[in-house]
Structures are given as C-alpha cells and as structure tokens.
Amino acid sequence: MNAILLLSYLVGSVTFIIGLKMLSHPDKARKGNLIAAGGMGIAIIATLVLYKNPGTGQHLGNYGWIAAGLLIGGLSGTLIARKVKMTAMPEMVSLFNGMGGACAMLIAIVEYHHLLHGVQNGDSIYAAGILLIIMLGLIIGTVSFAGSIMAWGKLNGSIKDRIIPAGQMINFGLLAAMLIIAVLLLSSGPANGLLYFYILLALSVLYGVLFVMPIGGADMPVVISLLNSFTGVAAAFGGFLYHNPVMLTGGILVGSAGTILTILMCKAMNRPLKNVLIGAIGKGGGGRQTEKDNNYKEISIADTAVLLAYARKVYIIPGYGLAVAQAQHACHELEKILTENGVEVKYGIHPVAGRMPGHMNVLLAEADVSYDALVEMEDANKELSTTNVVLVLGANDVVNPAAKEDPASPIYGMPILDTELAEHIIVNKRSMKPGYAGIENDLFYRPKTSMLFGDAKKVIQDLITELRSL
C-alpha cells in the first residue's frame, strides 16, 4: 500500500511538471491545466484511501470534515471561476493565492500545537529543525495571505493606496522584531514559546498588510507574482513537515516559477525589485507638462476606417481598457475584416499590459485570436517603423514616451512599445485621464497621434460597420 501511495505521489509530481510546461503555449495551456489537476486528484484520492499514520498505523479519519472541505471548496471555487469577468481575473488570482497562504499559515499553527503536545507529554523529542520549518511556514504563509488579501482589495478598488509616514522604516522595524522573536522562540522551544509563536503570527499579519499597502499602479502585477512565490515556498515547508513528496514538489514549482516570473517582470520594467517594493510607481505625478500638452487632435470613426482600410500593416496594442469594455471579440472581428481586405494585422503585447502577466494573451485567446498574431514587445518594436497604423486600445503606460525621455518620470527606464515609429497612431480611450501608473502620457499630444474617444467595444463595432460600407 505504501508503494502504491508513493507511486501516486510520483505521478502527481510528474503531472505538475508536465502541466507547467504546457502552460507556456496557449494552444496547450488548457490541456496542461487538466493534466496537473488530474495529478492533484490522484494524489488526494491516494492520500485519503492509502495513507496510514507511521506511528499508529491508522488511516486519516475525519472523513466527514474532509468531504465537507472538498465540497465547499470545490463548489465555491468552480462558481467563482465560472462567473469571474476577464477584467477581474487578477484579483481572483490574488484571492486564491491568499487562500493558499492561509492554508500554509493554518498548517503551521496546527503542527506547532502537535509539536507542543508531543513535547509536553513526552511523546516526542523536540527537534529545532522541525520548529524552524514550522516557523518559516508560518511567517511566509501569513505574509502571503495578508498581502494577497490587501492586493485583492486594491485591485477591486475597495482598498486605496496609503502612504504611511516612515513606512519603510516601520517595515524594517517589523522585520527586525520578527527576527528577534523567531530567535527567542527557537531558543525557548515549543513548550515555553507559545506566546512568542502568536506574537510572530501577529507581526507577520501586520507586515503583510503594510508591505503591500503603499504599492500600487503599474507595480501590482509584480507584487502578485512575488506573493504567489511566497505561497509556493510556504507550501513546500508543509511538504517537509508531512514528508509529502507531491506537496513538496508542487510548492517548489510554484515558488520557483513565481520567483522567475517576478524577476522577468522587473527586467521588463527595467526596475530593481527593491524599487518595486518601495512603491515608487502608482503615486501620481511625474512626467513633463507644458501648455502645449493641452493640444491634441481627435479623429472620427470614418477617417479611422479609411486609414485602416488602405493600410498595408496595422498593429493593435491591447490594454486594460479593452478588457474593461469586453471588446476582445469585436477586436478579433475587426482583425478578420482587415485581413480579408489584404491588410496585415498583428497585436503588440507588452509583458505587463493589463493587471497581471499574460492578461492580454488570455483575453485575446478567449476570442480565438491566433497565437501567431500575438507579437512580444521586442519583436513588435522591430516592425513598428514599417507599420502604417497603430491602433492603441485602452493601453496607456506601456506606450508612454516618458519611460524613455523623461528622467523625472516614475516609469523612466521601463521598456515600452515604440508606437511613435509608425506612420499614424490612433489612441482609443474613454477620456484623457492618466493610466494605471497615475501619470500623463505625452504620446497623446504628439503630431502623429489622433485620439478616438469612446468605449472600446462600441468604437470597434462602429469601425466594423464603417469598413463594411467602404
């Protein structure tokens, strides 16, 4: 039975690796998800049926509670995932990630009391290594939980960015206090460290909240990715505690993938991680503003349709505004009409467009846009100089020239899509309000730029109607 259980864990671990690999391409992502979920199902069923306590030889027990948890979690997760809008996907990811952190936190609390009970009754010898693993799982899982809930609230608008005076000093002070309490807990042992344990829990919650509170704007995708890696590491510590290979493998995969993604996103934004955590973006301000900035020109639907119809190459730059308007299907219809008329149409994808990594890719894949039409930023920039029309749909910060031209701008140094290289730039927005990073976009006032105001879905539908009448 033990051999079958270990084989089931091996199968689960392998399916996680295969599923993660398949997520790298949209054509295989759905299948990869199903394979990884199937492996998790095998591991869960094998644990329920085959696992026995090494000390007592008894099965898990508490099957009623386990079934209730599986039922409630499965139903609520399914309902939330089915009803969530594409624009709310980042906050759902953040919420689910927070639940993973909460699980790691609860595991640490439960296992601490198991260790405490064993020491008090002479049933086990205190092991500093086990206490250290419990403590690390508690800190990382709690910070991930509290931080992810803060991120969820900030993304859905219920929690605002708040800059606390001397906030960074407070955070450093909390980290120092957590280190001191952790040392005291280790030196005291579980029998005498119960108070230290719960002080550490409270400090971790406070740090998770204060760590995320000042961060906003364009840095939120990076923070979500970082918190996701925290949850994975915390889950890996749970795998150590339970000697569970599949839990350990899953945690390591999530932790390492989240860390790599965080590094890649920081590289894409040309910002060190420490600057992201300071929260420089999202506080507004920055950028050069002069009297001429008030002069922009508008373009009509009819003139836009003519420019698109007679272009050789068109680049569409999707942004969060496209997602808000749920205009991805209309955008794909516009692409098909232009392609039928002999126009080459491609999509320029910035690594941090939207509210999370891959947001635009998923959004367009939902509308059956060919993956071959999606061009990453570096490759798109090589082609924009030979592009007749760039149609910016709801994007802002990822096309802002201040990132290259204005050292005073908070986004200075962030790689952008070089839309100015094209012959004509048409920007669709609801208004002239700043983007997610809270800064003005000088692109809107440039000679080659024309503003096309309105809801992205309605504007595209009107463009489709006008193109068909030409």
Side-chain angles (χ1 to χ4, degrees):
M1 289 294 184
N2 187 55
I4 297 174
L5 178 62
L6 291 176
L7 180 61
S8 300
Y9 288 161
L10 178 61
V11 170
S13 299
V14 171
T15 59
F16 291 168
I17 296 169
I18 294 172
L20 185 62
K21 175 63 177 176
M22 294 176 74
L23 288 177
S24 63
H25 198 288
D27 291 345
K28 301 176 182 177
R30 184 185 295 271
K31 187 182 291 184
N33 254 327
L34 292 174
I35 289 173
M40 176 62 80
I42 290 171
I44 291 173
I45 293 171
T47 302
L48 293 175
V49 176
L50 302 175
Y51 178 81
K52 290 184 179 180
N53 188 302
T56 63
Q58 294 180 334
H59 286 284
L60 284 176
N62 293 319
Y63 288 114
W65 287 105
I66 293 172
L70 289 171
L71 184 63
I72 294 171
L75 284 176
S76 59
T78 301
L79 291 174
I80 292 172
R82 282 186 172 276
K83 291 185 177 181
V84 67
K85 295 180 180 179
M86 189 57 64
T87 50
M89 190 66 72
E91 60 202 62
M92 188 194 75
V93 170
S94 188
L95 179 63
F96 283 0
N97 183 63
M99 296 302 99
C103 288
M105 176 185 72
L106 293 173
I107 285 173
I109 293 172
V110 169
E111 290 308 310
Y112 180 84
H113 283 277
H114 282 170
L115 186 62
L116 177 63
H117 178 77
V119 171
Q120 288 177 341
N121 291 279
D123 296 331
S124 64
I125 300 173
Y126 162 66
I130 297 298
L131 181 57
L132 178 63
I133 291 172
I134 291 173
M135 192 172 62
L136 290 172
L138 175 77
I139 295 170
I140 298 173
T142 304
V143 169
S144 177
F145 165 64
S148 295
I149 296 303
M150 283 294 298
W152 169 72
K154 288 161 74 72
L155 286 168
N156 66 26
S158 59
I159 299 176
K160 303 298 181 185
D161 297 342
R162 302 200 189 283
I163 307 303
I164 301 172
Q168 293 303 313
M169 295 302 297
I170 293 172
N171 284 345
F172 286 133
L174 282 173
L175 284 174
M178 289 163 64
L179 179 61
I180 293 170
I181 295 298
V183 171
L184 291 173
L185 176 57
L186 281 172
S187 60
S188 301
N192 302 311
L194 187 62
L195 178 61
Y196 293 137
F197 182 82
Y198 281 102
I199 291 175
L200 193 60
L201 173 64
L203 290 176
S204 299
V205 171
L206 185 58
Y207 180 75
V209 171
L210 296 180
F211 157 66
V212 176
M213 185 176 288
I215 302 173
D219 284 334
M220 282 309 296
V222 181
V223 174
I224 293 172
S225 178
L226 182 64
L227 291 171
N228 185 57
S229 69
F230 285 178
T231 297
V233 173
F237 284 124
F240 275 118
L241 288 174
Y242 294 130
H243 306 287
N244 190 310
V246 74
M247 191 173 180
L248 181 62
T249 303
I252 291 172
L253 286 173
V254 173
S256 58
T259 302
I260 292 170
L261 181 59
T262 302
I263 293 170
L264 290 175
M265 291 178 67
C266 286
K267 183 179 178 181
M269 298 171 69
N270 196 30
R271 285 166 54 73
L273 182 59
K274 66 179 181 63
N275 287 358
V276 172
L277 301 184
I278 290 172
I281 292 184
K283 299 177 185 176
R288 295 173 296 197
Q289 295 299 309
T290 63
E291 289 301 320
K292 71 179 181 62
D293 287 347
N294 294 321
N295 300 319
Y296 60 86
K297 64 176 180 286
E298 292 188 51
I299 189 171
S300 66
I301 292 289
D303 289 342
T304 302
V306 170
L307 277 175
L308 293 173
Y310 291 98
R312 296 185 310 277
K313 182 192 290 185
V314 170
Y315 251 94
I316 297 173
I317 311 296
Y320 187 66
L322 180 75
V324 170
Q326 291 289 292
Q328 61 270 30
H329 295 281
C331 189
H332 184 39
E333 182 66 24
L334 174 65
E335 173 208 337
K336 288 193 292 185
I337 291 175
L338 291 174
T339 303
E340 289 170 1
N341 290 336
V343 181
E344 183 183 2
V345 182
K346 295 183 178 181
Y347 295 81
I349 308 297
H350 193 282
V352 293
R355 293 295 186 268
M356 64 183 292
H359 197 176
M360 293 300 104
N361 302 69
V362 174
L363 186 78
L364 295 170
E366 183 191 33
D368 295 324
V369 173
S370 171
Y371 182 70
D372 294 332
L374 308 183
V375 184
E376 298 299 326
M377 177 184 65
E378 292 83 359
D379 295 326
N381 282 339
K382 296 175 183 177
E383 298 188 20
L384 286 172
S385 60
T386 60
T387 299
N388 303 110
V389 181
V390 168
L391 180 60
V392 181
L393 296 174
N396 195 322
D397 304 314
V398 298
V399 295
N400 193 338
K404 299 177 69 175
E405 302 171 0
D406 186 4
S409 173
I411 64 170
Y412 182 71
M414 183 181 85
I416 60 168
L417 286 154
D418 298 324
T419 52
E420 269 207 299
L421 297 177
E423 289 182 33
H424 302 279
I425 305 108
I426 300 172
V427 180
N428 168 237
K429 281 174 59 72
R430 289 176 180 270
S431 68
M432 293 297 291
K433 288 183 179 180
Y436 196 39
I439 60 176
E440 294 289 345
N441 192 338
D442 192 41
L443 175 69
F444 303 157
Y445 311 101
R446 299 293 174 90
K448 292 195 291 185
T449 303
S450 301
M451 304 301 298
L452 182 61
F453 293 112
D455 175 82
K457 186 174 183 178
K458 185 178 186 307
V459 165
I460 295 172
Q461 288 172 339
D462 290 344
L463 279 174
I464 291 170
T465 301
E466 192 70 29
L467 283 166
R468 283 173 174 163
S469 66
L470 288 177

